[in-house]
Amino acid sequence: MSFAVRAEGLTVRYGRTTALEDVTLELAPGTVHGLLGRNGSGKTTLLQTLAAFRRPSEGRVLVDGEDPWENPRVTQGVCLVRESGDVLTDLRMRDNLAYYEGIRPHFDRELAGRLMDTFELDPARKPSKLSRGKKSAFGVVVGLASRAELTIFDEVHLGMDAPSRFAFYDALMADYVEHPRTIVLSSHLIDEVQRLLEGVVILDHGRVLLSEEAESLRARGVSITGPRDAVEQLVEGRTVLRRQHLGRTTQVMLDGALSTEERTQAERLGLETGPVDLQSLFVHLTERTTEGATR
Amino acid sequence: MFDGREPIYLQIADRIRAEVLDGSLQEGDQVKSTTQYATTYRINPATAAKAFAELVDEGVLHKRRGIGMFVSDGARDQLLAARRERFFAEVVDPVATEAQVLGIPIAQVVARLHEVEAARAAAHGEERS
Protein backbone atom coordinates (compact mmCIF):
# COMPACT_ATOMS: atom_id res chain seq x y z
CA MET A 1 0.00 0.00 0.00
CA SER A 2 3.05 2.29 -0.16
CA PHE A 3 5.22 3.24 -3.09
CA ALA A 4 9.00 3.51 -2.91
CA VAL A 5 10.56 6.30 -4.95
CA ARG A 6 13.90 6.34 -6.71
CA ALA A 7 15.55 8.94 -8.90
CA GLU A 8 18.69 8.00 -10.80
CA GLY A 9 20.77 10.69 -12.47
CA LEU A 10 17.59 12.69 -12.99
CA THR A 11 18.05 15.83 -15.07
CA VAL A 12 15.19 18.07 -16.19
CA ARG A 13 15.71 21.06 -18.50
CA TYR A 14 13.29 23.71 -19.69
CA GLY A 15 14.90 25.22 -22.77
CA ARG A 16 18.22 26.56 -21.52
CA THR A 17 17.32 26.33 -17.86
CA THR A 18 18.37 23.24 -15.94
CA ALA A 19 15.84 22.75 -13.13
CA LEU A 20 17.27 19.46 -11.85
CA GLU A 21 20.74 18.18 -12.44
CA ASP A 22 21.88 14.62 -11.89
CA VAL A 23 19.58 14.02 -8.93
CA THR A 24 19.90 10.61 -7.35
CA LEU A 25 17.84 9.84 -4.27
CA GLU A 26 15.67 7.25 -2.63
CA LEU A 27 12.52 7.74 -0.57
CA ALA A 28 11.63 4.78 1.62
CA PRO A 29 8.04 3.54 1.32
CA GLY A 30 5.57 4.14 4.15
CA THR A 31 7.50 7.14 5.45
CA VAL A 32 6.84 10.88 5.73
CA HIS A 33 9.52 12.81 3.84
CA GLY A 34 10.15 16.53 3.82
CA LEU A 35 11.41 18.19 0.66
CA LEU A 36 13.08 21.47 1.50
CA GLY A 37 14.81 24.01 -0.65
CA ARG A 38 14.82 27.67 -1.50
CA ASN A 39 12.70 29.11 -4.29
CA GLY A 40 13.89 27.82 -7.64
CA SER A 41 15.81 24.91 -6.11
CA GLY A 42 13.89 22.36 -8.22
CA LYS A 43 11.39 21.03 -5.64
CA THR A 44 8.30 21.42 -7.79
CA THR A 45 10.01 20.00 -10.88
CA LEU A 46 11.06 16.93 -8.92
CA LEU A 47 7.55 16.40 -7.53
CA GLN A 48 5.97 16.87 -10.96
CA THR A 49 8.34 14.31 -12.44
CA LEU A 50 7.41 11.79 -9.73
CA ALA A 51 3.73 12.39 -10.49
CA ALA A 52 4.37 11.91 -14.25
CA PHE A 53 3.40 15.50 -15.08
CA ARG A 54 6.86 15.86 -16.66
CA ARG A 55 9.39 13.61 -18.32
CA PRO A 56 13.06 13.49 -17.42
CA SER A 57 15.49 15.03 -19.92
CA GLU A 58 18.07 12.51 -18.72
CA GLY A 59 18.15 9.75 -16.13
CA ARG A 60 14.97 8.24 -14.75
CA VAL A 61 12.52 8.05 -11.89
CA LEU A 62 11.04 4.84 -10.56
CA VAL A 63 7.85 4.81 -8.51
CA ASP A 64 7.05 1.43 -7.00
CA GLY A 65 9.80 0.08 -9.25
CA GLU A 66 8.37 1.40 -12.53
CA ASP A 67 8.62 4.47 -14.74
CA PRO A 68 5.47 6.48 -13.91
CA TRP A 69 5.23 8.09 -17.39
CA GLU A 70 2.01 6.97 -19.09
CA ASN A 71 1.77 4.17 -16.55
CA PRO A 72 -1.84 3.97 -15.30
CA ARG A 73 -1.12 1.41 -12.58
CA VAL A 74 1.42 3.75 -10.98
CA THR A 75 -0.29 7.10 -11.62
CA GLN A 76 -3.54 5.99 -10.05
CA GLY A 77 -1.56 5.54 -6.84
CA VAL A 78 0.25 8.90 -7.03
CA CYS A 79 -1.59 11.98 -5.81
CA LEU A 80 0.08 15.37 -6.20
CA VAL A 81 -1.60 18.30 -4.49
CA ARG A 82 -0.20 21.71 -5.30
CA GLU A 83 -1.03 25.09 -3.86
CA SER A 84 -4.68 25.97 -4.50
CA GLY A 85 -5.72 22.39 -4.66
CA ASP A 86 -5.15 20.78 -8.05
CA VAL A 87 -8.86 20.02 -8.34
CA LEU A 88 -11.57 20.60 -10.94
CA THR A 89 -12.19 24.26 -10.20
CA ASP A 90 -15.58 24.64 -11.95
CA LEU A 91 -17.29 21.63 -10.43
CA ARG A 92 -19.05 21.79 -7.09
CA MET A 93 -16.87 20.29 -4.39
CA ARG A 94 -19.45 17.55 -3.89
CA ASP A 95 -19.00 16.54 -7.55
CA ASN A 96 -15.24 16.88 -7.26
CA LEU A 97 -15.27 14.35 -4.42
CA ALA A 98 -17.45 11.96 -6.46
CA TYR A 99 -15.01 12.29 -9.36
CA TYR A 100 -11.96 11.53 -7.21
CA GLU A 101 -13.76 8.64 -5.56
CA GLY A 102 -14.10 7.21 -9.07
CA ILE A 103 -10.42 7.48 -9.99
CA ARG A 104 -8.76 6.76 -6.62
CA PRO A 105 -9.16 3.11 -5.59
CA HIS A 106 -8.66 3.72 -1.84
CA PHE A 107 -10.72 6.93 -1.61
CA ASP A 108 -12.43 7.28 1.79
CA ARG A 109 -15.66 9.24 1.46
CA GLU A 110 -16.28 9.34 5.18
CA LEU A 111 -12.86 10.88 5.84
CA ALA A 112 -13.49 13.42 3.07
CA GLY A 113 -16.75 14.42 4.75
CA ARG A 114 -15.10 14.86 8.14
CA LEU A 115 -12.28 16.94 6.65
CA MET A 116 -14.79 19.14 4.77
CA ASP A 117 -16.29 19.95 8.18
CA THR A 118 -12.88 20.49 9.79
CA PHE A 119 -11.94 23.07 7.15
CA GLU A 120 -15.49 24.51 7.04
CA LEU A 121 -15.95 23.82 3.33
CA ASP A 122 -19.44 23.83 1.82
CA PRO A 123 -19.80 20.90 -0.65
CA ALA A 124 -22.27 22.88 -2.75
CA ARG A 125 -19.68 25.51 -3.67
CA LYS A 126 -17.13 25.48 -6.48
CA PRO A 127 -13.39 25.69 -5.76
CA SER A 128 -13.11 28.61 -8.21
CA LYS A 129 -15.23 30.71 -5.83
CA LEU A 130 -13.03 30.04 -2.80
CA SER A 131 -10.23 32.05 -1.23
CA ARG A 132 -6.67 30.86 -1.81
CA GLY A 133 -6.48 29.29 1.63
CA LYS A 134 -9.82 27.48 1.28
CA LYS A 135 -8.76 26.15 -2.14
CA SER A 136 -5.62 24.76 -0.58
CA ALA A 137 -7.69 23.23 2.21
CA PHE A 138 -9.88 21.49 -0.35
CA GLY A 139 -6.72 20.15 -2.01
CA VAL A 140 -5.75 18.74 1.40
CA VAL A 141 -9.16 17.06 1.71
CA VAL A 142 -8.80 15.38 -1.70
CA GLY A 143 -5.13 14.52 -1.05
CA LEU A 144 -5.76 12.85 2.31
CA ALA A 145 -9.04 11.13 1.41
CA SER A 146 -7.48 9.66 -1.77
CA ARG A 147 -5.13 7.58 0.43
CA ALA A 148 -2.80 7.26 -2.55
CA GLU A 149 0.25 5.03 -2.15
CA LEU A 150 2.39 8.11 -2.85
CA THR A 151 0.80 11.33 -1.64
CA ILE A 152 2.60 14.58 -2.39
CA PHE A 153 1.75 17.98 -0.90
CA ASP A 154 3.68 20.69 -2.71
CA GLU A 155 3.58 23.97 -0.76
CA VAL A 156 -0.05 23.23 -0.07
CA HIS A 157 0.05 25.35 3.07
CA LEU A 158 0.30 28.59 1.04
CA GLY A 159 -2.58 30.86 1.82
CA MET A 160 -3.81 28.65 4.67
CA ASP A 161 -4.01 30.43 8.01
CA ALA A 162 -2.25 28.98 11.06
CA PRO A 163 -5.30 27.16 12.53
CA SER A 164 -5.99 25.50 9.15
CA ARG A 165 -2.34 24.49 8.77
CA PHE A 166 -2.33 22.88 12.20
CA ALA A 167 -5.63 21.16 11.43
CA PHE A 168 -3.90 19.83 8.29
CA TYR A 169 -0.89 18.53 10.28
CA ASP A 170 -3.22 16.88 12.82
CA ALA A 171 -5.32 15.23 10.11
CA LEU A 172 -2.21 14.12 8.24
CA MET A 173 -0.64 12.44 11.29
CA ALA A 174 -3.92 10.88 12.45
CA ASP A 175 -4.60 9.32 9.06
CA TYR A 176 -0.97 8.38 8.42
CA VAL A 177 -0.70 6.31 11.62
CA GLU A 178 -3.91 4.48 10.69
CA HIS A 179 -2.98 4.06 7.02
CA PRO A 180 0.79 4.34 6.61
CA ARG A 181 1.80 5.39 3.09
CA THR A 182 4.57 7.31 1.39
CA ILE A 183 4.07 11.03 1.93
CA VAL A 184 6.18 13.87 0.59
CA LEU A 185 5.69 17.32 2.03
CA SER A 186 7.40 20.34 0.53
CA SER A 187 7.26 23.44 2.65
CA HIS A 188 9.10 26.59 3.61
CA LEU A 189 7.74 26.38 7.13
CA ILE A 190 10.48 24.14 8.45
CA ASP A 191 9.76 24.82 12.12
CA GLU A 192 6.14 23.79 11.68
CA VAL A 193 6.64 20.60 9.72
CA GLN A 194 9.94 19.21 10.98
CA ARG A 195 8.40 17.04 13.69
CA LEU A 196 6.13 15.34 11.19
CA LEU A 197 9.06 14.17 9.12
CA GLU A 198 11.09 11.00 9.24
CA GLY A 199 13.29 11.80 6.23
CA VAL A 200 14.51 15.13 4.91
CA VAL A 201 15.80 15.96 1.43
CA ILE A 202 17.25 19.39 0.78
CA LEU A 203 17.54 20.52 -2.84
CA ASP A 204 19.77 23.41 -3.78
CA HIS A 205 20.24 24.76 -7.30
CA GLY A 206 18.72 21.62 -8.78
CA ARG A 207 20.97 19.24 -6.88
CA VAL A 208 20.58 17.15 -3.74
CA LEU A 209 22.34 19.01 -0.94
CA LEU A 210 21.52 16.29 1.56
CA SER A 211 19.17 13.40 2.18
CA GLU A 212 19.04 12.27 5.79
CA GLU A 213 16.91 11.07 8.66
CA ALA A 214 15.23 14.09 10.25
CA GLU A 215 16.36 13.18 13.75
CA SER A 216 20.02 12.81 12.81
CA LEU A 217 19.79 16.12 10.99
CA ARG A 218 18.62 17.76 14.19
CA ALA A 219 21.73 16.46 15.94
CA ARG A 220 23.97 17.42 13.05
CA GLY A 221 24.78 21.06 13.69
CA VAL A 222 26.48 22.40 16.79
CA SER A 223 27.10 25.94 17.98
CA ILE A 224 30.17 26.86 20.01
CA THR A 225 30.57 30.07 21.97
CA GLY A 226 33.54 31.47 23.87
CA PRO A 227 36.74 33.51 23.63
CA ARG A 228 37.84 33.86 20.01
CA ASP A 229 41.22 32.09 20.29
CA ALA A 230 39.79 29.12 22.16
CA VAL A 231 36.92 28.73 19.67
CA GLU A 232 39.27 28.95 16.68
CA GLN A 233 41.59 26.39 18.25
CA LEU A 234 38.71 23.93 18.61
CA VAL A 235 37.20 24.36 15.16
CA GLU A 236 40.42 24.35 13.16
CA GLY A 237 39.94 22.24 10.04
CA ARG A 238 36.16 21.90 10.55
CA THR A 239 33.37 23.09 8.26
CA VAL A 240 32.13 26.35 9.77
CA LEU A 241 28.68 27.36 8.54
CA ARG A 242 28.64 30.70 10.27
CA ARG A 243 30.99 32.79 12.38
CA GLN A 244 29.96 35.77 14.49
CA HIS A 245 32.08 38.02 16.66
CA LEU A 246 30.87 40.13 19.55
CA GLY A 247 33.76 41.89 21.24
CA ARG A 248 36.16 39.14 22.24
CA THR A 249 33.49 36.46 22.12
CA THR A 250 33.04 34.34 19.03
CA GLN A 251 30.19 32.05 18.11
CA VAL A 252 30.51 29.51 15.33
CA MET A 253 28.05 27.06 13.87
CA LEU A 254 29.65 23.80 12.79
CA ASP A 255 28.37 21.27 10.30
CA GLY A 256 28.72 17.92 12.04
CA ALA A 257 28.52 16.83 15.66
CA LEU A 258 31.45 17.04 18.08
CA SER A 259 33.47 13.92 18.78
CA THR A 260 33.92 12.86 22.41
CA GLU A 261 37.48 14.24 22.37
CA GLU A 262 36.30 17.55 20.93
CA ARG A 263 33.60 17.72 23.58
CA THR A 264 36.16 17.17 26.34
CA GLN A 265 38.45 19.76 24.78
CA ALA A 266 35.57 22.27 24.55
CA GLU A 267 34.86 21.77 28.25
CA ARG A 268 38.51 22.20 29.15
CA LEU A 269 38.65 25.42 27.14
CA GLY A 270 35.52 26.62 28.95
CA LEU A 271 33.44 26.84 25.74
CA GLU A 272 29.67 26.66 25.60
CA THR A 273 28.19 24.19 23.14
CA GLY A 274 24.60 23.88 21.99
CA PRO A 275 22.47 22.31 19.28
CA VAL A 276 21.41 24.04 16.07
CA ASP A 277 17.78 23.84 15.00
CA LEU A 278 16.84 22.51 11.57
CA GLN A 279 15.71 25.91 10.31
CA SER A 280 19.10 27.57 11.01
CA LEU A 281 20.97 24.58 9.67
CA PHE A 282 18.93 24.81 6.47
CA VAL A 283 19.46 28.56 6.13
CA HIS A 284 23.20 28.32 6.56
CA LEU A 285 23.73 25.22 4.45
CA THR A 286 21.89 26.78 1.50
CA GLU A 287 23.47 30.21 2.11
CA ARG A 288 26.91 28.70 1.92
CA THR A 289 26.29 27.11 -1.46
CA THR A 290 24.91 30.39 -2.79
CA GLU A 291 28.11 32.15 -1.73
CA GLY A 292 30.13 29.37 -3.31
CA ALA A 293 28.27 29.76 -6.59
CA THR A 294 28.83 33.50 -6.85
CA ARG A 295 32.50 33.46 -5.99
CA MET B 1 5.75 20.87 24.44
CA PHE B 2 9.13 20.06 22.86
CA ASP B 3 11.65 22.88 22.71
CA GLY B 4 12.80 22.31 19.15
CA ARG B 5 16.52 22.11 19.85
CA GLU B 6 17.46 18.68 21.17
CA PRO B 7 16.34 15.77 18.99
CA ILE B 8 12.71 15.07 19.91
CA TYR B 9 13.27 11.40 20.61
CA LEU B 10 15.76 12.38 23.34
CA GLN B 11 13.19 14.77 24.80
CA ILE B 12 10.52 12.06 24.80
CA ALA B 13 12.92 9.60 26.45
CA ASP B 14 13.90 12.21 29.08
CA ARG B 15 10.27 12.96 29.85
CA ILE B 16 9.42 9.29 30.37
CA ARG B 17 12.49 8.89 32.61
CA ALA B 18 11.38 11.94 34.62
CA GLU B 19 7.86 10.53 34.99
CA VAL B 20 9.22 7.20 36.22
CA LEU B 21 11.47 9.03 38.69
CA ASP B 22 8.73 11.26 40.14
CA GLY B 23 6.32 8.35 40.32
CA SER B 24 3.70 9.58 37.85
CA LEU B 25 4.58 6.45 35.86
CA GLN B 26 4.68 3.36 38.10
CA GLU B 27 6.42 0.10 37.36
CA GLY B 28 4.04 -2.05 35.30
CA ASP B 29 2.19 1.00 33.91
CA GLN B 30 1.59 1.21 30.20
CA VAL B 31 3.08 4.21 28.41
CA LYS B 32 1.39 6.05 25.54
CA SER B 33 1.68 4.31 22.17
CA THR B 34 3.65 5.69 19.22
CA THR B 35 0.28 6.39 17.58
CA GLN B 36 -0.89 8.40 20.58
CA TYR B 37 2.38 10.33 20.62
CA ALA B 38 2.06 11.04 16.91
CA THR B 39 -1.48 12.36 17.09
CA THR B 40 -1.23 14.13 20.46
CA TYR B 41 2.04 15.96 19.84
CA ARG B 42 2.01 16.12 16.03
CA ILE B 43 5.20 14.15 15.64
CA ASN B 44 6.23 11.34 13.36
CA PRO B 45 5.50 7.98 15.03
CA ALA B 46 9.00 6.77 14.10
CA THR B 47 10.37 9.47 16.41
CA ALA B 48 8.46 8.11 19.39
CA ALA B 49 9.50 4.56 18.41
CA LYS B 50 13.14 5.66 18.52
CA ALA B 51 12.69 6.98 22.08
CA PHE B 52 11.07 3.70 23.13
CA ALA B 53 13.92 1.71 21.59
CA GLU B 54 16.42 3.67 23.67
CA LEU B 55 14.44 3.09 26.87
CA VAL B 56 14.07 -0.62 26.09
CA ASP B 57 17.87 -0.82 25.70
CA GLU B 58 18.26 0.85 29.10
CA GLY B 59 15.82 -1.59 30.68
CA VAL B 60 13.34 1.15 31.63
CA LEU B 61 10.60 -0.12 29.30
CA HIS B 62 9.71 -3.50 27.87
CA LYS B 63 7.43 -4.45 25.04
CA ARG B 64 4.46 -6.78 25.36
CA ARG B 65 3.74 -8.04 21.91
CA GLY B 66 0.48 -6.77 20.51
CA ILE B 67 -0.35 -4.77 23.64
CA GLY B 68 2.23 -2.01 24.00
CA MET B 69 5.09 -0.62 26.06
CA PHE B 70 5.28 -0.99 29.84
CA VAL B 71 7.52 0.32 32.61
CA SER B 72 9.86 -2.46 33.74
CA ASP B 73 10.29 -3.69 37.29
CA GLY B 74 13.25 -1.98 38.94
CA ALA B 75 13.20 0.86 36.40
CA ARG B 76 12.97 3.56 39.05
CA ASP B 77 15.88 2.23 41.15
CA GLN B 78 17.97 1.90 38.06
CA LEU B 79 17.24 5.47 36.94
CA LEU B 80 17.90 6.77 40.46
CA ALA B 81 21.30 5.08 40.56
CA ALA B 82 22.21 6.55 37.18
CA ARG B 83 20.98 10.02 38.19
CA ARG B 84 22.90 9.95 41.48
CA GLU B 85 26.07 9.10 39.68
CA ARG B 86 25.52 11.93 37.21
CA PHE B 87 24.61 14.34 40.01
CA PHE B 88 28.16 14.35 41.35
CA ALA B 89 29.80 14.61 37.94
CA GLU B 90 27.46 17.23 36.51
CA VAL B 91 26.33 19.27 39.51
CA VAL B 92 28.75 18.92 42.42
CA ASP B 93 32.06 18.87 40.56
CA PRO B 94 31.33 22.10 38.61
CA VAL B 95 30.36 23.79 41.92
CA ALA B 96 33.81 22.99 43.31
CA THR B 97 35.45 24.39 40.17
CA GLU B 98 33.33 27.55 40.19
CA ALA B 99 33.94 28.10 43.91
CA GLN B 100 37.68 27.94 43.32
CA VAL B 101 37.43 30.47 40.45
CA LEU B 102 35.46 32.84 42.72
CA GLY B 103 37.76 32.27 45.71
CA ILE B 104 35.06 30.77 47.91
CA PRO B 105 36.38 28.20 50.42
CA ILE B 106 34.70 24.81 50.06
CA ALA B 107 33.84 24.91 53.80
CA GLN B 108 31.66 27.95 53.08
CA VAL B 109 29.85 26.07 50.31
CA VAL B 110 29.26 23.14 52.65
CA ALA B 111 27.98 25.48 55.38
CA ARG B 112 25.54 26.98 52.90
CA LEU B 113 24.24 23.54 51.98
CA HIS B 114 23.63 22.83 55.69
CA GLU B 115 21.77 26.16 56.04
CA VAL B 116 19.57 25.38 53.04
CA GLU B 117 18.78 21.97 54.40
CA ALA B 118 17.96 23.36 57.89
CA ALA B 119 15.67 26.03 56.39
CA ARG B 120 13.92 23.41 54.32
CA ALA B 121 13.47 21.09 57.31
CA ALA B 122 12.02 24.00 59.36
CA ALA B 123 9.56 24.93 56.58
CA HIS B 124 8.56 21.32 56.29
CA GLY B 125 7.99 21.11 60.05
CA GLU B 126 5.73 24.21 59.98
CA GLU B 127 3.70 22.76 57.15
CA ARG B 128 3.08 19.67 59.23
CA SER B 129 2.17 21.36 62.49
Side-chain angles (χ1 to χ4, degrees), chain B residues 22-101:
Chain B
D22 73 17
S24 44
L25 270 175
Q26 297 280 331
E27 290 167 7
D29 279 359
Q30 184 169 9
V31 300
K32 277 209 250 333
S33 68
T34 53
T35 303
Q36 284 170 317
Y37 266 99
T39 50
T40 314
Y41 302 118
R42 250 182 233 119
I43 59 168
N44 193 290
T47 306
K50 204 168 167 180
F52 290 173
E54 184 166 300
L55 293 169
V56 167
D57 280 349
E58 283 176 22
V60 175
L61 298 182
H62 62 277
K63 187 177 191 168
R64 281 195 223 154
R65 203 171 273 254
I67 309 177
M69 285 289 176
F70 293 84
V71 180
S72 301
D73 288 341
R76 187 162 184 275
D77 286 345
Q78 195 183 325
L79 284 172
L80 271 177
R83 276 290 160 96
R84 285 179 181 141
E85 210 166 289
R86 262 177 43 202
F87 171 75
F88 283 97
E90 292 177 8
V91 180
V92 180
D93 296 357
V95 165
T97 311
E98 184 75 4
Q100 197 190 2
V101 170

Side-chain angles (χ1 to χ4, degrees), chain A residues 131-185:
Chain A
S131 70
R132 187 185 183 200
K134 289 283 182 192
K135 274 184 201 157
S136 295
F138 186 58
V140 165
V141 173
V142 172
L144 286 177
S146 293
R147 293 230 175 98
E149 286 87 342
L150 171 60
T151 303
I152 303 170
F153 295 105
D154 184 13
E155 301 280 355
V156 75
H157 59 81
L158 291 174
M160 285 170 82
D161 58 14
S164 307
R165 292 200 303 274
F166 284 95
F168 165 45
Y169 306 145
D170 284 348
L172 174 67
M173 271 300 114
D175 201 58
Y176 167 71
V177 296
E178 294 291 325
H179 302 274
R181 52 203 192 265
T182 314
I183 290 171
V184 182
L185 208 58

Side-chain angles (χ1 to χ4, degrees), chain A residues 209-243:
Chain A
L209 186 64
L210 63 83
S211 174
E212 252 179 76
E213 239 182 84
E215 285 287 288
S216 58
L217 203 52
R218 293 165 66 91
R220 175 168 160 160
V222 56
S223 81
I224 297 159
T225 314
R228 184 182 294 204
D229 294 346
V231 171
E232 294 303 340
Q233 190 188 329
L234 185 77
V235 304
E236 207 189 324
R238 295 285 307 255
T239 308
V240 174
L241 294 177
R242 182 182 162 86
R243 194 182 249 106

Side-chain angles (χ1 to χ4, degrees), chain A residues 16 19 42 87 101 144 146 182 233 271 277 281 291:
Chain A
R16 285 193 194 162
V87 293
E101 191 177 9
L144 286 177
S146 293
T182 314
Q233 190 188 329
L271 301 176
D277 63 275
L281 190 69
E291 277 172 25

